[in-house]
Amino acid sequence: MDLYEKRIMTGVVDSLYAFELERAVEENRRGTLIGTPSEVACERAGQELGMSVGSIRDVLGRRNGWELE
């Protein structure tokens, strides 16, 4: 993946995670969430994008090859 593709994918992951986190926090407020909001958001984003939870965390943390130059 070249730098351009990596930046696009990073933006997609960041946006989807932010959306899912907001949704999970709201479910947590209602008492319907099982797990922590951040873990649930990572799981949902990973399912949507066909990535593992660990890969989603790597993108969010900009590590293991996801560092932007």
Side-chain angles (χ1 to χ4, degrees):
M1 181 178 312
D2 68 14
L3 183 58
Y4 177 75
E5 291 170 328
K6 194 181 290 187
R7 284 184 177 166
I8 290 176
M9 189 62 180
T10 300
V12 169
V13 170
D14 288 349
S15 297
L16 183 58
Y17 174 78
F19 171 79
E20 291 297 349
L21 183 60
E22 187 176 315
R23 193 173 130 203
V25 166
E26 183 57 36
E27 289 175 16
N28 193 39
R29 284 188 193 129
R30 291 190 307 248
T32 59
L33 187 71
I34 298 173
T36 64
S38 60
E39 184 64 28
V40 170
C42 279
E43 289 174 6
R44 289 177 180 170
Q47 287 175 351
E48 183 71 27
L49 297 172
M51 297 171 70
S52 70
V53 171
S55 293
I56 295 294
R57 286 188 186 132
D58 284 346
V59 174
L60 294 171
R62 306 299 191 265
R63 58 183 181 260
N64 295 329
W66 287 99
E67 300 85 359
L68 297 178
E69 300 166 9

